[in-house]
Amino acid sequence: MSAGITEKSQAELTEFVARTATTFAIPGVSVGVWADGRETFASHGVTSLDNPLPVDEDTLFLLGSATKTFTATALMRLVADGRVELDAPVRRYVPELVLADEKAAAEITVLNLLNHTSGLDWNLIVDTGDGDDALAAFVAKMAELQFVGEPGARASYSQAAFNLLGRVLENVTGLTYERAIASLLVEPLGLSHSFFGTAEVMTRRFAVGHNPDEDGDLAVAREWKLTRANNPGGGLASSASDVLAWARFQLGDGLAASGERLLPTEVLHRMREQTVELRGSNLGDGFGICWFLREVDGVRTIEHGGSVNGQFVELLLVPERNFAVVAMSNAGPDGIPFNRAAVRWALEHCLGVVDKDPEPLPYEAARAQEVVGAYENDAMALAVATDGAELTLAAGIKPEIRAAADYEMPADYEPAAMGLLPGGGDEFIVTAGGLAGQRGFFSRDASGAIAGIDLGGRVFGRVPTASA
């Protein structure tokens, strides 16, 4: 049964947030909960170690990939208006699209982009400037992007896919992506603390990211935001108060607070229906339309997180219980564990729902040796190693990309303990470090040999050894 947020639990939330932020050494955090028809917030710490201001529920944090929920919902407004069809080829709306695989380019649908089944790799590491042509220029370079599979064959999380969706919005509405999101969603919903532009953000109280320096001390992340072309997949800055208002809209019937109908109820709720299954992922059991879908302790949740260079957000909704929680933090690598702890606290204390990680199997030397190796995708590299007693996983940006960057990039995740899970499906869980709780699986080729890793919804291919 729901316990809701009482005066006592409000005090407990405030104490928990402060204590947990201190434990994880996060400079600033903000948590919002919607339960029993009431909003509750708890914040702690400061926006920046260099220029500290107190964090509150109106402080702006970068949402990272949680921005995708705005992009997807805006697309669904166009679907409801008959201006876009989910099953139509993307080229109907972006005729200029050229990809490395011409057959795939002709086949990829709008829905393939929305549920990450396009087969497109993670992203292009390219800066196409701050002008209104940034997305058009990004799309013009997409022929350089690799494929990880055929369209519709499997789910693989892709930032580039959502940037392409941003171009769909531009071409159909005749507006820039940012202006389209403002007119379709932000303005009618009265989200007064949600912005894409740094000029708008810098006149308000906003958080900056932090990462460990060479000595292990937290330092301000000097690259505050991704390039403009990445706005559709990760560029919105918003506050706990606005994100909770956004969650309330998603939980509702498609009406704005003013009474304006933004979406038919059935279209809004369609976004929560599973379109593709996910395997062995802490992110969920499947994708709806953008949303990760997961069953936790017998209740269905929809959720999306995000990260941008030392800033992290986690948003979880339980539609059947009219419940939502958002957690924001401004330091890596432990911003993710803080957010997960805050979300789990709210689930348990407000709904009596307990979210537990599965227990890994005891270490087996033969299985460990089978998976040890290097893995990579277009931007990141993973290293699975063993000391003979446990497996570890390290994750980071590929060295050549870090070396070529002219801006500061997020810190890598140092090796941390991981374990294989029961079931014989080559699934695993990270049990320590900043990626603690992250789940994935090893994939095999036709011969049965380990060929890759799926982690965080992304595919990493195994790097051949010198003797292979």
Side-chain angles (χ1 to χ4, degrees), residues 361-375 383-392 418-420 426 428 442 444 450 453 462:
L361 296 165
Y363 178 83
E364 292 184 29
R367 289 197 70 190
Q369 287 298 329
E370 191 178 17
V371 301
V372 164
Y375 304 80
V384 178
T386 180
D387 61 1
E390 69 174 5
L391 282 167
T392 60
M418 65 178 291
L420 296 170
D426 292 319
F428 66 86
F442 294 95
R444 295 179 181 270
I450 297 295
I453 287 181
R462 190 169 197 170

Side-chain angles (χ1 to χ4, degrees), residues 63 116 168 251 321 376 420 431:
L63 298 189
H116 297 286
V168 173
L251 290 168
R321 307 285 282 273
E376 66 179 19
L420 296 170
T431 57

Side-chain angles (χ1 to χ4, degrees), residues 32-34 39-41 239-248 324-326:
V33 178
W34 170 254
E39 286 185 340
T40 306
F41 298 97
S239 64
S241 58
D242 265 17
V243 174
L244 210 56
W246 174 241
R248 291 175 61 183
V325 54
V326 58

